[in-house]
Each structure stands twice: as C-alpha cells, then as structure tokens.
Short mmCIF file of all heavy atoms in Angstrom, two decimals:
data_model
loop_
_atom_site.label_atom_id
_atom_site.label_comp_id
_atom_site.label_asym_id
_atom_site.label_seq_id
_atom_site.Cartn_x
_atom_site.Cartn_y
_atom_site.Cartn_z
N ASN A 1 156.79 180.61 66.96
CA ASN A 1 157.10 181.63 65.96
C ASN A 1 157.80 181.00 64.77
O ASN A 1 158.85 180.38 64.90
CB ASN A 1 157.99 182.70 66.60
CG ASN A 1 158.10 183.94 65.75
OD1 ASN A 1 157.88 183.90 64.55
ND2 ASN A 1 158.43 185.03 66.40
N ARG A 2 157.23 181.16 63.57
CA ARG A 2 157.80 180.56 62.36
C ARG A 2 158.49 181.60 61.47
O ARG A 2 158.86 181.29 60.34
CB ARG A 2 156.72 179.85 61.56
CG ARG A 2 156.17 178.64 62.26
CD ARG A 2 155.24 177.90 61.31
NE ARG A 2 154.91 176.60 61.84
CZ ARG A 2 155.55 175.49 61.53
NH1 ARG A 2 156.55 175.52 60.71
NH2 ARG A 2 155.18 174.35 62.06
N SER A 3 158.70 182.79 61.98
CA SER A 3 159.34 183.82 61.15
C SER A 3 160.84 183.54 61.00
O SER A 3 161.44 182.81 61.78
CB SER A 3 159.10 185.20 61.75
OG SER A 3 159.62 185.26 63.05
N LEU A 4 161.42 184.14 59.96
CA LEU A 4 162.82 183.94 59.65
C LEU A 4 163.62 185.22 59.91
O LEU A 4 163.14 186.32 59.68
CB LEU A 4 163.00 183.52 58.19
CG LEU A 4 162.33 182.21 57.78
CD1 LEU A 4 162.50 181.98 56.29
CD2 LEU A 4 162.88 181.05 58.57
N VAL A 5 164.85 185.05 60.35
CA VAL A 5 165.77 186.17 60.54
C VAL A 5 166.72 186.16 59.36
O VAL A 5 167.26 185.12 58.99
CB VAL A 5 166.54 186.01 61.88
CG1 VAL A 5 167.59 187.08 62.03
CG2 VAL A 5 165.57 186.01 63.04
N LEU A 6 166.93 187.31 58.74
CA LEU A 6 167.76 187.46 57.55
C LEU A 6 167.27 186.60 56.39
O LEU A 6 168.02 186.26 55.49
CB LEU A 6 169.22 187.12 57.86
CG LEU A 6 169.90 187.95 58.95
CD1 LEU A 6 171.30 187.43 59.23
CD2 LEU A 6 169.94 189.42 58.57
N GLY A 7 166.01 186.21 56.44
CA GLY A 7 165.39 185.49 55.34
C GLY A 7 165.66 184.00 55.29
O GLY A 7 165.12 183.32 54.42
N PHE A 8 166.47 183.46 56.19
CA PHE A 8 166.77 182.02 56.10
C PHE A 8 166.85 181.31 57.45
O PHE A 8 166.74 180.10 57.52
CB PHE A 8 168.10 181.80 55.36
CG PHE A 8 169.31 182.25 56.11
CD1 PHE A 8 170.02 181.37 56.90
CD2 PHE A 8 169.74 183.57 56.02
CE1 PHE A 8 171.15 181.78 57.59
CE2 PHE A 8 170.86 183.98 56.70
CZ PHE A 8 171.57 183.09 57.49
N MET A 9 167.07 182.04 58.53
CA MET A 9 167.30 181.40 59.83
C MET A 9 166.05 181.53 60.71
O MET A 9 165.56 182.64 60.91
CB MET A 9 168.49 182.07 60.53
CG MET A 9 168.91 181.37 61.79
SD MET A 9 170.28 182.18 62.66
CE MET A 9 171.52 182.29 61.41
N PRO A 10 165.55 180.39 61.21
CA PRO A 10 164.41 180.48 62.12
C PRO A 10 164.76 181.33 63.34
O PRO A 10 165.90 181.34 63.81
CB PRO A 10 164.18 179.03 62.53
CG PRO A 10 164.84 178.21 61.48
CD PRO A 10 165.97 179.02 60.97
N VAL A 11 163.76 182.05 63.83
CA VAL A 11 164.00 183.00 64.91
C VAL A 11 164.51 182.29 66.18
O VAL A 11 165.34 182.83 66.90
CB VAL A 11 162.74 183.86 65.19
CG1 VAL A 11 161.62 183.04 65.79
CG2 VAL A 11 163.07 185.03 66.06
N GLY A 12 164.08 181.07 66.42
CA GLY A 12 164.56 180.34 67.59
C GLY A 12 166.05 180.02 67.48
O GLY A 12 166.79 180.10 68.46
N LEU A 13 166.50 179.65 66.28
CA LEU A 13 167.92 179.37 66.07
C LEU A 13 168.75 180.65 66.18
O LEU A 13 169.84 180.63 66.77
CB LEU A 13 168.12 178.71 64.71
CG LEU A 13 169.55 178.31 64.35
CD1 LEU A 13 170.09 177.32 65.37
CD2 LEU A 13 169.60 177.75 62.95
N ALA A 14 168.25 181.74 65.64
CA ALA A 14 168.94 183.02 65.76
C ALA A 14 169.03 183.45 67.22
O ALA A 14 170.06 183.97 67.66
CB ALA A 14 168.23 184.09 64.93
N TYR A 15 167.96 183.21 67.97
CA TYR A 15 167.98 183.54 69.40
C TYR A 15 169.06 182.73 70.12
O TYR A 15 169.81 183.27 70.93
CB TYR A 15 166.60 183.26 70.01
CG TYR A 15 166.56 183.52 71.49
CD1 TYR A 15 166.38 184.80 71.98
CD2 TYR A 15 166.72 182.48 72.41
CE1 TYR A 15 166.36 185.05 73.34
CE2 TYR A 15 166.69 182.72 73.77
CZ TYR A 15 166.51 184.01 74.23
OH TYR A 15 166.49 184.25 75.57
N HIS A 16 169.15 181.45 69.82
CA HIS A 16 170.15 180.63 70.50
C HIS A 16 171.57 180.97 70.05
O HIS A 16 172.51 180.83 70.84
CB HIS A 16 169.85 179.15 70.30
CG HIS A 16 168.82 178.65 71.27
ND1 HIS A 16 169.09 178.42 72.59
CD2 HIS A 16 167.51 178.38 71.10
CE1 HIS A 16 168.00 178.01 73.20
NE2 HIS A 16 167.01 177.99 72.31
N ALA A 17 171.75 181.42 68.84
CA ALA A 17 173.07 181.89 68.40
C ALA A 17 173.47 183.14 69.20
O ALA A 17 174.60 183.25 69.68
CB ALA A 17 173.07 182.18 66.91
N ALA A 18 172.54 184.07 69.34
CA ALA A 18 172.81 185.27 70.14
C ALA A 18 173.01 184.89 71.61
O ALA A 18 173.87 185.46 72.29
CB ALA A 18 171.67 186.26 70.00
N TYR A 19 172.26 183.92 72.09
CA TYR A 19 172.41 183.46 73.47
C TYR A 19 173.80 182.86 73.70
O TYR A 19 174.41 183.08 74.74
CB TYR A 19 171.32 182.43 73.80
CG TYR A 19 171.43 181.88 75.18
CD1 TYR A 19 171.01 182.60 76.28
CD2 TYR A 19 172.00 180.62 75.40
CE1 TYR A 19 171.14 182.11 77.56
CE2 TYR A 19 172.13 180.12 76.67
CZ TYR A 19 171.68 180.86 77.75
OH TYR A 19 171.82 180.36 79.02
N ALA A 20 174.31 182.11 72.72
CA ALA A 20 175.64 181.52 72.84
C ALA A 20 176.71 182.61 72.95
O ALA A 20 177.66 182.49 73.72
CB ALA A 20 175.92 180.61 71.66
N VAL A 21 176.54 183.69 72.20
CA VAL A 21 177.48 184.82 72.29
C VAL A 21 177.38 185.45 73.67
O VAL A 21 178.40 185.76 74.31
CB VAL A 21 177.21 185.85 71.17
CG1 VAL A 21 178.03 187.10 71.38
CG2 VAL A 21 177.50 185.23 69.81
N LEU A 22 176.17 185.63 74.18
CA LEU A 22 175.96 186.19 75.51
C LEU A 22 176.61 185.33 76.58
O LEU A 22 177.28 185.84 77.49
CB LEU A 22 174.47 186.35 75.80
CG LEU A 22 174.09 186.77 77.22
CD1 LEU A 22 174.54 188.20 77.49
CD2 LEU A 22 172.61 186.62 77.44
N VAL A 23 176.46 184.02 76.49
CA VAL A 23 177.05 183.12 77.48
C VAL A 23 178.58 183.18 77.40
O VAL A 23 179.26 183.14 78.44
CB VAL A 23 176.54 181.68 77.28
CG1 VAL A 23 177.32 180.69 78.11
CG2 VAL A 23 175.07 181.60 77.62
N SER A 24 179.13 183.30 76.21
CA SER A 24 180.59 183.42 76.07
C SER A 24 181.10 184.68 76.74
O SER A 24 182.13 184.66 77.43
CB SER A 24 180.98 183.42 74.60
OG SER A 24 180.61 182.22 73.99
N VAL A 25 180.39 185.78 76.56
CA VAL A 25 180.78 187.03 77.22
C VAL A 25 180.65 186.90 78.73
O VAL A 25 181.53 187.34 79.49
CB VAL A 25 179.93 188.21 76.67
CG1 VAL A 25 180.13 189.46 77.50
CG2 VAL A 25 180.26 188.46 75.21
N MET A 26 179.57 186.26 79.18
CA MET A 26 179.39 186.07 80.61
C MET A 26 180.52 185.22 81.20
O MET A 26 181.05 185.53 82.27
CB MET A 26 178.05 185.40 80.91
CG MET A 26 177.82 185.19 82.40
SD MET A 26 176.49 184.05 82.81
CE MET A 26 177.17 182.50 82.27
N MET A 27 180.92 184.17 80.51
CA MET A 27 182.01 183.32 81.01
C MET A 27 183.32 184.09 81.06
O MET A 27 184.12 183.91 81.99
CB MET A 27 182.15 182.07 80.15
CG MET A 27 181.01 181.09 80.33
SD MET A 27 180.77 180.56 82.05
CE MET A 27 182.28 179.68 82.34
N ALA A 28 183.58 184.96 80.08
CA ALA A 28 184.79 185.78 80.11
C ALA A 28 184.77 186.72 81.32
O ALA A 28 185.79 186.91 81.98
CB ALA A 28 184.91 186.56 78.81
N ILE A 29 183.61 187.28 81.60
CA ILE A 29 183.47 188.16 82.77
C ILE A 29 183.69 187.37 84.05
O ILE A 29 184.38 187.82 84.97
CB ILE A 29 182.08 188.85 82.77
CG1 ILE A 29 182.01 189.86 81.63
CG2 ILE A 29 181.79 189.51 84.11
CD1 ILE A 29 180.63 190.41 81.38
N LEU A 30 183.12 186.17 84.13
CA LEU A 30 183.30 185.35 85.33
C LEU A 30 184.76 184.96 85.53
O LEU A 30 185.27 184.97 86.65
CB LEU A 30 182.43 184.10 85.26
CG LEU A 30 180.94 184.32 85.45
CD1 LEU A 30 180.17 183.04 85.19
CD2 LEU A 30 180.65 184.85 86.83
N VAL A 31 185.46 184.62 84.45
CA VAL A 31 186.87 184.26 84.58
C VAL A 31 187.69 185.46 85.03
O VAL A 31 188.58 185.35 85.86
CB VAL A 31 187.40 183.69 83.24
CG1 VAL A 31 188.92 183.62 83.24
CG2 VAL A 31 186.81 182.32 82.98
N LYS A 32 187.36 186.63 84.50
CA LYS A 32 188.13 187.83 84.85
C LYS A 32 187.91 188.23 86.32
O LYS A 32 188.86 188.59 87.01
CB LYS A 32 187.73 188.98 83.95
CG LYS A 32 188.40 190.29 84.31
CD LYS A 32 188.78 191.06 83.10
CE LYS A 32 189.42 192.36 83.45
NZ LYS A 32 190.83 192.23 83.75
N PHE A 33 186.68 188.16 86.79
CA PHE A 33 186.37 188.71 88.11
C PHE A 33 186.12 187.68 89.21
O PHE A 33 186.14 188.03 90.38
CB PHE A 33 185.15 189.63 88.02
CG PHE A 33 185.39 190.85 87.19
CD1 PHE A 33 184.80 190.97 85.95
CD2 PHE A 33 186.23 191.84 87.64
CE1 PHE A 33 185.03 192.10 85.17
CE2 PHE A 33 186.48 192.96 86.87
CZ PHE A 33 185.87 193.09 85.63
N ALA A 34 185.89 186.42 88.87
CA ALA A 34 185.55 185.45 89.91
C ALA A 34 186.46 184.23 89.92
O ALA A 34 186.22 183.29 90.66
CB ALA A 34 184.10 184.99 89.73
N TRP A 35 187.50 184.22 89.10
CA TRP A 35 188.41 183.07 89.07
C TRP A 35 189.19 183.00 90.38
O TRP A 35 189.76 183.99 90.81
CB TRP A 35 189.38 183.21 87.90
CG TRP A 35 190.20 181.99 87.67
CD1 TRP A 35 191.46 181.77 88.12
CD2 TRP A 35 189.83 180.81 86.96
NE1 TRP A 35 191.89 180.54 87.73
CE2 TRP A 35 190.91 179.92 87.01
CE3 TRP A 35 188.68 180.43 86.29
CZ2 TRP A 35 190.88 178.68 86.41
CZ3 TRP A 35 188.65 179.18 85.69
CH2 TRP A 35 189.75 178.33 85.75
N PRO A 36 189.25 181.84 91.02
CA PRO A 36 190.00 181.72 92.27
C PRO A 36 191.50 181.89 92.02
O PRO A 36 192.10 181.13 91.27
CB PRO A 36 189.68 180.31 92.77
CG PRO A 36 188.73 179.72 91.82
CD PRO A 36 188.56 180.61 90.66
N LYS A 37 192.08 182.87 92.66
CA LYS A 37 193.50 183.19 92.44
C LYS A 37 194.42 182.08 92.93
O LYS A 37 195.50 181.90 92.39
CB LYS A 37 193.86 184.51 93.14
CG LYS A 37 193.06 185.69 92.68
CD LYS A 37 193.36 186.03 91.25
CE LYS A 37 192.56 187.27 90.87
NZ LYS A 37 192.34 187.40 89.47
N HIS A 38 194.01 181.33 93.94
CA HIS A 38 194.89 180.29 94.46
C HIS A 38 195.14 179.16 93.46
O HIS A 38 196.11 178.43 93.58
CB HIS A 38 194.33 179.72 95.78
CG HIS A 38 193.11 178.88 95.60
ND1 HIS A 38 191.85 179.43 95.47
CD2 HIS A 38 192.96 177.55 95.49
CE1 HIS A 38 190.97 178.46 95.32
NE2 HIS A 38 191.62 177.31 95.33
N LEU A 39 194.29 179.02 92.46
CA LEU A 39 194.51 177.99 91.44
C LEU A 39 195.68 178.32 90.53
O LEU A 39 196.22 177.45 89.88
CB LEU A 39 193.24 177.80 90.61
CG LEU A 39 192.05 177.23 91.35
CD1 LEU A 39 190.85 177.13 90.42
CD2 LEU A 39 192.38 175.87 91.93
N GLU A 40 196.06 179.59 90.47
CA GLU A 40 197.18 180.00 89.64
C GLU A 40 198.51 179.89 90.36
O GLU A 40 199.56 179.99 89.74
CB GLU A 40 196.98 181.45 89.18
CG GLU A 40 195.71 181.66 88.37
CD GLU A 40 195.69 180.84 87.08
OE1 GLU A 40 196.75 180.67 86.46
OE2 GLU A 40 194.60 180.36 86.73
N ASP A 41 198.51 179.66 91.66
CA ASP A 41 199.74 179.57 92.45
C ASP A 41 200.27 178.14 92.45
O ASP A 41 200.20 177.42 93.43
CB ASP A 41 199.49 180.03 93.89
CG ASP A 41 199.09 181.48 93.96
OD1 ASP A 41 199.49 182.23 93.05
OD2 ASP A 41 198.39 181.86 94.90
#
C-alpha cells in the first residue's frame, strides 16, 4: 500500500506508530495486573 495518512505519512509507518501506542497501553495493563508482588518486597 503506497497511500499516505494525513497527506505525508506512509500507511505502514502510521500503522506502526499506532501499534507502538497499543503496545505501550498493553505494557501498562500488564504491569498493573500481572506484576509479581514479591519483587516489591
């Protein structure tokens, strides 16, 4: 796909930017709910 997002960004790069935001949210969720509590003791 050679189309542009917002007129300047290749769609693949825009996808990976959105993917990076998704991964950051996922990591925050994992830290909140799956972090081993014994590491904090």
Side-chain angles (χ1 to χ4, degrees):
N1 193 338
R2 293 187 168 265
S3 59
L4 298 176
V5 175
L6 301 175
F8 69 94
M9 187 182 305
V11 69
L13 182 60
Y15 178 82
H16 278 285
Y19 178 78
V21 171
L22 173 68
V23 169
S24 298
V25 170
M26 181 195 69
M27 289 303 295
I29 291 170
L30 287 173
V31 167
K32 176 142 179 83
F33 295 108
W35 189 263
K37 301 293 183 203
H38 71 278
L39 294 178
E40 300 299 324
D41 297 333

